[in-house]
Amino acid sequence: AQSVTQLDSHVSVSEGTPVLLRCNYSSSYSPSLFWYVQHPNKGLQLLLKYTSAATLVKGINGFEAEFKKSETSFHLTKPSAHMSDAAEYFCVVSLGDSNYQLIWGAGTKLIIKP
Amino acid sequence: KAGVTQTPRYLIKTRGQQVTLSCSPISGHRSVSWYQQTPGQGLQFLFEYFSETQRNKGNFPGRFSGRQFSNSRSEMNVSTLELGDSALYLCASSLTRLNYGYTFGSGTRLTVV
């Protein structure tokens, strides 16, 4: 069965330092993987997506993620955190070829310290 | 271009009542999905519509229903509201059913009292 595990419920970093949000997935198929961000009291915004092209995916706002099949991971990184990055981040996997339902991770709240 | 529009933004209803939420997808998008977001359960899939047909349904009771119109606009209905239905309901649209990424609306915050 497909599943997504976000390894940290909260991550706290200082402004200007690197960000790492961890995500592991389980999928019987070649998965499509996504990262979404949700700012307080706002809807969800697509940060980036992996759909079997390049394994290193670049997204908006300086974020990128690397698909590692051997580790079944899709970690999200950013070289230098900004105060505006404070939000909740969701790792998402699609169910596969004939089912377009998305399976969502529990979310990681990113806290930026000044 | 206009994004996904959900109306109303906020709603307060009494237990036992019913409610209808509306979602207008991005122009040209034919797939609309609905999600319930609560602090305890996170994001849970309700259903997906494509070309006016429900293609997938999540694990929710029959009190939750939806439909999609020929212009791809979608409505979600919850009957006999319970306190536990209080949540942020999010609608997402996509050009096709392929997983190229959904665009989400800002959601409807439903409070059941």
Side-chain angles (χ1 to χ4, degrees):
Chain A
Q2 282 77 6
S3 66
V4 179
T5 303
Q6 290 185 243
L7 297 161
D8 307 292
S9 60
H10 293 79
V11 168
S12 180
V13 302
S14 297
E15 191 175 19
T17 65
V19 174
L20 170 63
L21 305 183
R22 299 181 294 166
C23 172
N24 285 102
Y25 69 92
S26 168
S27 176
S28 304
Y29 309 92
S30 295
S32 293
L33 294 155
F34 309 83
W35 276 97
Y36 282 86
V37 60
Q38 187 175 34
H39 287 91
N41 300 313
K42 296 280 180 68
L44 289 145
Q45 182 182 21
L46 178 66
L47 268 181
L48 49 80
K49 59 192 177 207
Y50 166 78
T51 52
S52 75
T55 56
L56 183 63
V57 182
K58 293 189 185 298
I60 61 171
N61 301 335
F63 284 95
E64 60 182 40
E66 187 171 7
F67 173 69
K68 291 188 176 179
K69 188 174 181 179
S70 60
E71 298 175 12
T72 60
S73 70
F74 191 57
H75 301 334
L76 181 70
T77 60
K78 182 173 180 178
S80 176
H82 191 272
M83 293 301 291
S84 61
D85 295 328
E88 189 155 20
Y89 292 79
F90 295 91
C91 182
V92 186
V93 65
S94 68
L95 276 190
D97 294 343
S98 61
N99 188 334
Y100 301 97
Q101 184 176 334
L102 301 178
I103 303 298
W104 293 74
T108 298
K109 196 156 286 186
L110 178 61
I111 300 158
I112 311 295
K113 297 178 289 188
Chain B
K1 59 182 177 182
V4 178
T5 303
Q6 289 189 250
T7 56
R9 285 296 310 276
Y10 301 93
L11 207 49
I12 300 175
K13 289 286 189 179
T14 305
R15 257 186 313 176
Q17 286 187 311
Q18 77 164 19
V19 67
T20 299
L21 312 183
S22 179
C23 172
S24 293
I26 289 175
S27 177
H29 283 197
R30 295 168 62 195
S31 172
V32 173
S33 297
W34 288 89
Y35 290 84
Q36 182 195 66
Q37 186 177 28
T38 59
Q41 299 294 320
L43 269 147
Q44 292 189 286
F45 171 75
L46 280 155
F47 23 67
E48 182 219 351
Y49 286 88
F50 183 80
S51 294
E52 301 177 65
T53 303
Q54 187 180 90
R55 304 292 177 144
N56 277 309
K57 191 177 193 307
N59 190 26
F60 277 82
R63 300 186 296 107
F64 291 81
S65 64
R67 58 179 176 168
Q68 186 181 34
F69 301 95
S70 57
N71 62 358
S72 293
R73 191 177 72 83
S74 178
E75 286 182 348
M76 191 192 99
N77 185 276
V78 188
S79 62
T80 321
L81 283 165
E82 300 176 0
L83 295 179
D85 297 332
S86 295
L88 180 66
Y89 290 87
L90 291 162
C91 167
S93 78
S94 179
L95 188 62
T96 70
R97 296 194 69 213
L98 295 173
N99 279 311
Y100 294 148
Y102 289 90
T103 302
F104 281 80
S106 297
T108 294
R109 172 77 61 186
L110 172 65
T111 303
V112 182
V113 298

